[in-house]
Amino acid sequence: MTDDSRTAELRSKVAALMPQAKTDLTQLVSFKSVADPRQFPPEECERAAQWVADAFAAAGLTRVGLHETPDGSKAVIAARPGPPGAPTVLLYCHYDVQPPLDPAAWRTPVWELTEKNGRWYGRGAADCKGNIVMHLTALRALGPDLPLGVMMVAEGSEEQGTGGLERFVEANPDLLRADTILIGDCGNFAAGVPTLTETLRGGVSVIVTVRTMAGPLHSGMFGGAAPDALAALIHLLASLRDAHGNTTVAGLQNDQRWSGVQYGEDQFRTDAGVLRGVELIGDGSVSDMLWARPALTVLGIDVPPVVGSTAAIQPSARARLSLRIPPGTDPEEARKALFAHLEANTPGNAELTIELDGIGAPFRSGNGGPAREAMEAALAASYGRAATTQGQGGSIPLCNVFADTYPEAEIMLLGVEEPKCLIHAPNESVDPSEIEHMALAEALFLLNYADRSG
């Protein structure tokens, strides 16, 4: 069979499976699988995990089980060994989702897959239940007799960042050992533009507290000479960016350039909902600022709210900061630089306390090898155009664990999550054509990779 006829046959099979894909996603979205028992009953995650296990068993994977991870969540692991000497591919996804946030902001029911203007809406429709359906549809199109080994792992607490699967992999390295790992938790630069995500930023999160006085003082009687902790905190936070908005943590390089796909400013403004006339920050391109350079964000500040505030000078103020760091930056060196910068820029000898809230390493995937070549060919055949590359501003700590545990494995990040999906926000959705094209690309990849490895 020629490559063109193989592609045409699989394209037809995937298209015929799309009604089933919609049914699958409808069932998955209905599970309120937020892995936080303070908000949702654990039974919702358990039901989602069992559904995933049953679905992949029905799709032809023969060794299926639910494994408890150190954080108490369940990882679904399924496998079908390949012929002797054939490579093994691990497909990753997660079945837990973010909470709805503001239910009143949703224009469709949160837990009911709803078609509107050609998109499918619902929490988890893209992140990451749409990627589960992508994997399922690819396997169904190929049938159970696969020319290589396939494993699947679906995580149950990814959105909570509790590290359950990371520690499980470290404790059970042989269970998920594979030649190639497909991280189905990313997506294309835009719908219809096949994209491999090559980099993830790491991060250092801290909580800083500034103290200046024993207690609040009347701003009329003492204002002007009394040291204002809130003003000191504002001064300190302002030192972390220059006049152009570049992150300026002393000791961290902030002029790197991104060589992959360029994110147009107009498109970014639309995707991010930037208000008319408001300038973007940073003196690099959008791609430079998102994927190649460090980025400091103030996540929250503890100060008196406007409503209920009094005429008082504040004796203390606190903020939570997130420093995202690009590949090539050591997270421990970034932590040291951030701590030193904060200490050096606290005004007036105010008392400063810094608490480390979290730290994670950045990640860069390889850009060569037989699996990468097979995937690039598969994406081009599915979409009718060559694949490009992008970075992702977020972090997936599991990628570093996989890279450390399986150093010879090729790791690729891809999926159905393009910018219009609004993952983690109200009105999350997925473009069903992305599920269709990515499922076809994955099916073609599995065949191409088997051929190239034979």
Side-chain angles (χ1 to χ4, degrees):
M1 182 181 295
T2 67
D3 289 346
D4 288 345
S5 59
R6 170 189 281 179
T7 299
E9 180 181 344
L10 277 175
R11 191 183 301 277
S12 178
K13 288 182 177 179
V14 170
L17 286 166
M18 286 305 294
Q20 180 62 51
K22 186 176 184 181
T23 298
D24 292 339
L25 195 54
T26 298
Q27 293 173 330
L28 279 168
V29 167
S30 73
F31 299 124
K32 302 176 180 66
S33 50
V34 177
D36 184 349
R38 298 170 300 178
Q39 301 184 70
F40 292 88
E43 292 80 9
E44 292 290 322
C45 282
E46 293 169 7
R47 291 172 62 215
Q50 190 61 57
W51 189 98
V52 172
D54 293 342
F56 279 92
L61 300 189
T62 53
R63 300 175 182 174
V64 182
L66 273 64
H67 300 255
E68 185 165 339
T69 62
D71 65 353
S73 66
K74 295 290 196 303
V76 183
I77 299 177
R80 185 182 182 91
T88 296
V89 175
L90 174 63
L91 311 176
Y92 167 86
C93 49
H94 64 85
Y95 61 82
D96 69 305
V97 297
Q98 285 282 337
L101 298 180
D102 180 8
W106 284 76
R107 297 186 294 269
T108 63
V110 176
W111 307 108
E112 180 181 326
L113 193 72
T114 304
E115 185 167 357
K116 183 178 180 181
N117 298 325
R119 298 183 69 91
W120 296 344
Y121 286 80
R123 175 55 91 216
D127 182 21
C128 179
K129 292 173 178 178
N131 288 310
I132 296 175
V133 172
M134 172 189 75
H135 290 323
L136 270 174
T137 304
L139 293 178
R140 285 174 176 150
L142 291 174
D145 296 324
L146 301 171
L148 74 180
V150 172
M151 289 190 292
M152 185 282 304
V153 58
E155 187 175 4
S157 57
E158 192 275 343
E159 299 291 8
Q160 297 300 313
T162 49
L165 187 59
E166 289 98 300
R167 285 176 282 161
F168 180 85
V169 170
E170 292 168 340
N172 302 274
D174 292 331
L175 193 58
L176 295 176
R177 191 173 301 279
D179 300 284
T180 292
I181 301 171
L182 300 186
I183 304 293
D185 194 16
C186 291
N188 291 334
F189 174 69
V193 181
T195 310
L196 290 167
T197 297
E198 285 193 338
T199 66
L200 301 169
R201 287 195 290 200
V204 180
S205 297
V206 299
I207 298 172
V208 297
T209 304
V210 175
R211 296 184 179 87
T212 56
M213 300 182 298
L217 294 174
H218 191 282
S219 61
M221 295 178 64
F222 295 94
D228 184 334
L230 178 52
L233 177 64
I234 292 171
H235 178 96
L236 176 59
L237 299 181
S239 75
L240 294 163
R241 289 188 183 273
D242 64 18
H244 300 288
N246 298 296
T247 292
T248 52
V249 175
L252 288 187
Q253 183 182 353
N254 69 349
D255 61 355
Q256 301 95 314
R257 298 289 180 182
W258 177 257
S259 60
V261 66
Q262 292 300 306
Y263 204 152
E265 181 175 325
D266 289 344
Q267 185 61 53
F268 178 78
R269 285 179 171 278
T270 299
D271 292 342
V274 179
L275 300 180
R276 184 185 299 274
V278 177
E279 297 180 356
L280 303 185
I281 61 174
D283 59 13
S285 70
V286 171
S287 296
D288 295 339
M289 303 307 297
L290 292 181
W291 305 325
R293 300 183 181 184
L296 192 289
T297 302
V298 180
L299 300 180
I301 302 180
D302 286 341
V303 295
V306 171
V307 177
S309 59
T310 62
I313 304 167
Q314 298 305 311
S316 66
R318 187 169 73 149
R320 184 176 178 224
L321 313 180
S322 172
L323 175 64
R324 298 285 186 171
I325 54 175
T329 302
D330 179 84
E332 178 57 24
E333 293 304 313
R335 183 200 66 78
K336 291 178 181 178
L338 179 59
F339 275 48
H341 180 104
L342 293 169
E343 291 164 354
N345 286 274
T346 301
N349 289 322
E351 180 182 296
L352 176 71
T353 303
I354 310 173
E355 304 169 60
L356 182 63
D357 190 43
I359 188 168
F363 175 79
R364 182 186 297 276
S365 69
N367 55 13
R372 175 63 176 260
E373 293 171 0
M375 181 57 78
E376 288 177 345
L379 287 167
S382 178
Y383 282 90
R385 59 184 293 176
T388 188
T389 61
Q390 68 177 356
Q392 181 172 298
S395 305
I396 305 178
L398 181 64
C399 289
N400 293 297
V401 173
F402 277 149
D404 292 341
T405 307
Y406 313 117
E408 302 302 319
E410 290 189 60
I411 301 175
M412 291 179 283
L413 293 83
L414 73 177
V416 304
E417 304 166 20
E418 38 82 26
K420 290 184 179 179
C421 292
L422 298 180
I423 64 171
H424 293 201
N427 302 301
E428 179 180 353
S429 68
V430 68
D431 185 333
S433 70
E434 288 294 278
I435 294 178
E436 185 171 355
H437 280 98
M438 289 305 301
L440 173 58
E442 187 168 289
L444 287 169
F445 161 74
L446 293 172
L447 296 181
N448 291 345
Y449 184 41
D451 289 345
R452 292 168 188 256
S453 303

